[in-house]
Coordinates of all heavy atoms in Angstrom, one line a residue:
T1 N 0.8 -1.2 0.0 CA 0.0 0.0 0.0 C 0.9 1.3 0.0 O 0.6 2.2 -0.7 CB -0.9 0.0 1.2 OG1 -1.7 -1.2 1.3 CG2 -1.9 1.1 1.2
H2 N 1.9 1.2 0.8 CA 2.8 2.4 0.8 C 3.6 2.7 -0.5 O 3.9 3.8 -0.8 CB 3.9 2.1 1.9 CG 4.7 3.4 2.3 ND1 4.1 4.4 3.0 CD2 6.0 3.7 2.1 CE1 5.0 5.3 3.2 NE2 6.1 4.9 2.7
K3 N 3.6 1.7 -1.3 CA 4.3 1.8 -2.6 C 3.4 2.7 -3.6 O 4.0 3.4 -4.4 CB 4.5 0.5 -3.2 CG 5.3 0.5 -4.5 CD 5.4 -0.9 -5.1 CE 6.1 -1.8 -4.2 NZ 6.3 -3.2 -4.8
Y4 N 2.1 2.6 -3.4 CA 1.2 3.4 -4.2 C 0.4 4.5 -3.6 O -0.1 5.4 -4.3 CB 0.1 2.3 -4.8 CG 0.9 1.3 -5.7 CD1 1.0 0.0 -5.1 CD2 1.3 1.5 -6.9 CE1 1.6 -1.0 -5.8 CE2 1.9 0.5 -7.7 CZ 2.0 -0.8 -7.1 OH 2.7 -1.8 -7.9
I5 N 0.3 4.4 -2.3 CA -0.6 5.4 -1.6 C 0.3 6.2 -0.7 O 1.0 5.7 0.1 CB -1.7 4.7 -0.7 CG1 -2.6 3.8 -1.7 CG2 -2.6 5.7 -0.1 CD1 -3.3 4.4 -2.7
P6 N 0.2 7.6 -0.8 CA 0.9 8.4 0.1 C 0.6 8.1 1.5 O -0.5 7.8 1.9 CB 0.5 9.9 -0.3 CG -0.1 9.7 -1.7 CD -0.6 8.3 -1.8
E7 N 1.6 8.3 2.4 CA 1.5 7.9 3.8 C 0.4 8.6 4.5 O -0.3 8.0 5.3 CB 2.7 8.3 4.5 CG 2.8 7.8 5.9 CD 4.2 7.8 6.6 OE1 5.2 7.6 5.9 OE2 4.3 8.3 7.8
P8 N 0.0 9.9 4.2 CA -1.2 10.5 4.9 C -2.5 9.9 4.6 O -3.5 10.1 5.3 CB -1.1 12.0 4.4 CG 0.3 12.2 3.9 CD 0.8 10.9 3.4
Y9 N -2.6 9.1 3.5 CA -3.8 8.4 3.1 C -3.6 6.9 3.2 O -4.5 6.1 2.7 CB -4.1 8.8 1.6 CG -4.2 10.3 1.4 CD1 -3.1 11.0 0.9 CD2 -5.4 11.0 1.7 CE1 -3.2 12.3 0.7 CE2 -5.5 12.4 1.5 CZ -4.4 13.0 1.0 OH -4.4 14.3 0.7
H10 N -2.6 6.5 3.8 CA -2.4 5.0 4.1 C -3.4 4.5 5.1 O -3.2 4.8 6.3 CB -0.9 4.8 4.5 CG -0.5 3.3 4.3 ND1 -1.3 2.3 4.8 CD2 0.6 2.8 3.8 CE1 -0.6 1.2 4.6 NE2 0.5 1.5 4.0
P11 N -4.3 3.6 4.8 CA -5.3 3.2 5.7 C -4.8 2.2 6.8 O -5.4 2.2 7.9 CB -6.5 2.6 4.9 CG -5.8 2.1 3.7 CD -4.6 3.0 3.4
F12 N -3.8 1.4 6.4 CA -3.5 0.3 7.3 C -2.4 0.7 8.3 O -2.1 -0.1 9.2 CB -2.9 -0.8 6.5 CG -3.9 -1.3 5.4 CD1 -3.6 -1.3 4.1 CD2 -5.2 -1.7 5.8 CE1 -4.5 -1.6 3.1 CE2 -6.1 -2.1 4.9 CZ -5.8 -2.1 3.5
I13 N -1.9 1.9 8.3 CA -0.9 2.3 9.3 C -1.6 3.4 10.3 O -0.9 3.8 11.1 CB 0.4 2.8 8.7 CG1 0.0 4.2 7.9 CG2 1.1 1.8 7.9 CD1 1.3 4.9 7.4
Q14 N -2.8 3.6 10.0 CA -3.5 4.5 11.0 C -5.0 4.0 11.2 O -6.0 4.7 11.2 CB -3.6 6.0 10.4 CG -3.9 6.0 8.9 CD -3.8 7.5 8.4 OE1 -4.0 8.4 9.2 NE2 -3.5 7.6 7.1
T15 N -5.0 2.7 11.5 CA -6.3 2.1 11.8 C -7.0 2.6 13.0 O -8.2 2.7 13.1 CB -6.1 0.6 11.9 OG1 -5.0 0.3 12.8 CG2 -5.8 0.0 10.6
G16 N -6.1 2.9 14.0 CA -6.7 3.5 15.2 C -7.4 4.9 15.0 O -8.5 5.2 15.5
A17 N -6.7 5.7 14.3 CA -7.2 7.0 14.0 C -8.5 6.9 13.1 O -9.5 7.6 13.3 CB -6.1 7.9 13.3
I18 N -8.5 6.0 12.2 CA -9.7 5.8 11.3 C -10.9 5.3 12.2 O -12.0 5.8 12.0 CB -9.4 4.8 10.3 CG1 -8.4 5.4 9.3 CG2 -10.7 4.5 9.4 CD1 -8.0 4.4 8.2
A19 N -10.6 4.4 13.1 CA -11.6 3.9 14.0 C -12.2 5.0 14.9 O -13.4 5.2 15.0 CB -11.1 2.8 14.9
N20 N -11.4 5.9 15.4 CA -11.9 7.0 16.2 C -12.7 8.0 15.4 O -13.7 8.5 15.8 CB -10.7 7.8 16.7 CG -10.0 7.0 17.9 OD1 -10.6 6.1 18.4 ND2 -8.8 7.4 18.2
F21 N -12.3 8.2 14.1 CA -13.1 9.0 13.2 C -14.5 8.4 12.9 O -15.5 9.1 12.9 CB -12.4 9.2 11.9 CG -13.0 10.2 10.9 CD1 -13.4 11.5 11.2 CD2 -13.5 9.7 9.7 CE1 -14.0 12.3 10.3 CE2 -14.2 10.4 8.8 CZ -14.4 11.8 9.1
M22 N -14.5 7.1 12.7 CA -15.7 6.4 12.5 C -16.7 6.5 13.7 O -17.9 6.7 13.6 CB -15.5 4.9 12.1 CG -14.8 4.7 10.9 SD -15.8 5.3 9.4 CE -14.6 5.6 8.2
F23 N -16.1 6.4 14.9 CA -16.8 6.6 16.1 C -17.5 8.0 16.2 O -18.6 8.1 16.6 CB -15.9 6.3 17.3 CG -16.5 6.7 18.7 CD1 -17.5 6.0 19.2 CD2 -16.0 7.8 19.3 CE1 -18.1 6.3 20.4 CE2 -16.6 8.3 20.5 CZ -17.6 7.5 21.1
A24 N -16.7 8.9 15.8 CA -17.2 10.3 15.8 C -18.4 10.5 14.9 O -19.4 11.1 15.2 CB -16.1 11.3 15.4
I25 N -18.3 9.9 13.7 CA -19.4 9.9 12.8 C -20.6 9.3 13.3 O -21.8 9.7 13.2 CB -19.0 9.3 11.4 CG1 -17.9 10.0 10.7 CG2 -20.2 9.2 10.5 CD1 -17.4 9.5 9.5
A26 N -20.4 8.1 13.9 CA -21.5 7.4 14.5 C -22.3 8.2 15.6 O -23.4 8.2 15.7 CB -21.1 6.0 15.1
V27 N -21.4 8.9 16.5 CA -22.0 9.7 17.5 C -22.8 10.9 16.9 O -24.0 11.1 17.3 CB -20.9 10.3 18.4 CG1 -21.5 11.3 19.4 CG2 -20.3 9.1 19.2
V28 N -22.3 11.6 15.9 CA -22.9 12.7 15.4 C -24.3 12.2 14.6 O -25.4 12.9 14.8 CB -22.1 13.4 14.3 CG1 -22.8 14.5 13.6 CG2 -20.9 14.0 15.1
T29 N -24.2 11.2 13.8 CA -25.4 10.7 13.1 C -26.4 10.1 14.1 O -27.6 10.2 13.9 CB -25.0 9.7 12.1 OG1 -24.2 8.6 12.7 CG2 -24.2 10.3 11.0
G30 N -25.9 9.6 15.2 CA -26.8 9.1 16.2 C -27.7 10.2 16.8 O -28.9 10.0 17.0
F31 N -27.0 11.3 17.2 CA -27.9 12.4 17.7 C -28.8 13.0 16.6 O -29.9 13.4 16.9 CB -26.9 13.5 18.1 CG -26.4 13.3 19.6 CD1 -25.1 12.9 19.7 CD2 -27.2 13.5 20.7 CE1 -24.6 12.7 21.0 CE2 -26.8 13.3 21.9 CZ -25.5 12.9 22.1
A32 N -28.3 13.0 15.3 CA -29.2 13.5 14.2 C -30.4 12.7 14.0 O -31.5 13.1 13.7 CB -28.3 13.6 13.0
L33 N -30.2 11.3 14.3 CA -31.4 10.4 14.1 C -32.6 10.7 15.1 O -33.7 10.3 14.9 CB -31.0 9.0 14.3 CG -30.2 8.4 13.1 CD1 -29.7 7.0 13.4 CD2 -31.1 8.3 11.8
L34 N -32.3 11.4 16.2 CA -33.3 11.7 17.1 C -34.3 12.7 16.5 O -35.5 12.8 17.1 CB -32.7 12.4 18.4 CG -31.8 11.4 19.2 CD1 -31.2 12.2 20.4 CD2 -32.5 10.2 19.7
I35 N -34.1 13.3 15.4 CA -35.1 14.1 14.7 C -36.3 13.3 14.3 O -37.4 13.8 14.3 CB -34.4 14.9 13.5 CG1 -33.3 15.7 14.1 CG2 -35.4 15.7 12.8 CD1 -32.5 16.4 12.9
W36 N -36.0 12.1 13.9 CA -37.0 11.2 13.3 C -37.4 10.0 14.3 O -38.5 9.5 14.1 CB -36.7 10.6 12.0 CG -36.3 11.7 10.9 CD1 -37.2 12.3 10.2 CD2 -35.0 12.2 10.6 NE1 -36.6 13.3 9.4 CE2 -35.3 13.2 9.6 CE3 -33.7 12.0 11.0 CZ2 -34.2 13.8 9.0 CZ3 -32.7 12.7 10.5 CH2 -32.9 13.6 9.5
Y37 N -36.5 9.6 15.1 CA -36.7 8.4 15.9 C -37.5 8.7 17.2 O -37.3 9.8 17.8 CB -35.3 7.8 16.3 CG -35.4 6.6 17.1 CD1 -35.9 5.3 16.6 CD2 -35.2 6.6 18.5 CE1 -35.9 4.2 17.3 CE2 -35.2 5.4 19.3 CZ -35.7 4.3 18.7 OH -35.8 3.1 19.5
N38 N -38.4 7.9 17.5 CA -39.1 7.9 18.8 C -38.9 6.7 19.7 O -39.2 5.6 19.3 CB -40.7 7.9 18.5 CG -41.6 8.2 19.7 OD1 -41.1 8.0 20.8 ND2 -42.8 8.7 19.5
P39 N -38.2 7.0 20.8 CA -37.8 5.8 21.7 C -38.9 5.3 22.5 O -38.9 5.2 23.7 CB -36.7 6.5 22.6 CG -37.2 8.0 22.7 CD -37.8 8.2 21.4
S40 N -39.9 4.8 21.8 CA -41.1 4.2 22.5 C -41.2 2.7 21.8 O -41.1 2.6 20.7 CB -42.4 4.9 22.2 OG -43.5 4.1 22.6
V41 N -41.4 1.8 22.7 CA -41.5 0.4 22.2 C -42.7 0.2 21.2 O -42.7 -0.7 20.4 CB -41.6 -0.6 23.4 CG1 -43.0 -0.4 24.1 CG2 -41.5 -2.0 22.9
H42 N -43.6 1.1 21.4 CA -44.8 1.0 20.4 C -44.6 1.7 19.1 O -45.3 1.5 18.1 CB -46.1 1.5 21.2 CG -46.3 0.8 22.5 ND1 -46.7 -0.5 22.6 CD2 -46.3 1.3 23.8 CE1 -46.8 -0.9 23.9 NE2 -46.5 0.2 24.6
E43 N -43.7 2.7 19.1 CA -43.6 3.5 17.9 C -42.1 3.4 17.3 O -41.9 3.9 16.2 CB -43.8 5.0 18.2 CG -45.2 5.2 18.7 CD -45.6 6.7 18.9 OE1 -44.8 7.4 18.5 OE2 -46.5 6.9 19.7
A44 N -41.2 2.8 18.0 CA -39.8 2.8 17.5 C -39.8 2.1 16.1 O -39.1 2.7 15.2 CB -39.0 2.0 18.5
Y45 N -40.3 1.0 15.9 CA -40.2 0.3 14.6 C -40.8 1.2 13.5 O -40.2 1.3 12.3 CB -40.9 -1.0 14.7 CG -40.9 -1.8 13.3 CD1 -39.7 -2.6 13.0 CD2 -41.9 -1.7 12.4 CE1 -39.7 -3.3 11.8 CE2 -41.8 -2.5 11.2 CZ -40.7 -3.2 10.9 OH -40.6 -3.9 9.7
D46 N -42.0 1.8 13.7 CA -42.6 2.6 12.7 C -41.8 3.8 12.3 O -41.7 4.1 11.1 CB -44.0 3.0 13.1 CG -45.0 1.8 13.2 OD1 -44.8 0.8 12.5 OD2 -45.8 1.9 14.1
T47 N -41.1 4.4 13.2 CA -40.3 5.6 13.0 C -39.1 5.2 12.2 O -38.7 6.0 11.3 CB -40.0 6.4 14.2 OG1 -39.3 5.4 15.2 CG2 -41.2 6.9 15.0
V48 N -38.5 4.1 12.5 CA -37.3 3.6 11.7 C -37.7 3.2 10.3 O -37.0 3.5 9.4 CB -36.6 2.4 12.4 CG1 -35.5 1.9 11.6 CG2 -36.1 2.9 13.8

């Protein structure tokens, strides 16, 4: 990968940093989903 991909874009030598970035996306999108999601056992499925 290093032979073809510049080091700043090398995915396999910064797996921890990529995982943290994915976690950040999951947190942000999780809060955004509250716009449409209703945390009620009777309405959760329908809202999803």
Side-chain angles (χ1 to χ4, degrees):
T1 308
H2 193 69
K3 188 183 300 183
Y4 299 102
I5 305 297
E7 187 168 320
Y9 304 97
H10 194 314
F12 303 121
I13 64 175
Q14 44 186 333
T15 50
I18 295 176
N20 288 339
F21 180 65
M22 293 298 157
F23 169 73
I25 294 176
V27 170
V28 172
T29 53
F31 278 105
L33 283 175
L34 296 178
I35 298 173
W36 300 278
Y37 179 73
N38 188 338
S40 165
V41 67
H42 304 294
E43 299 183 21
Y45 180 82
D46 292 330
T47 55
V48 174

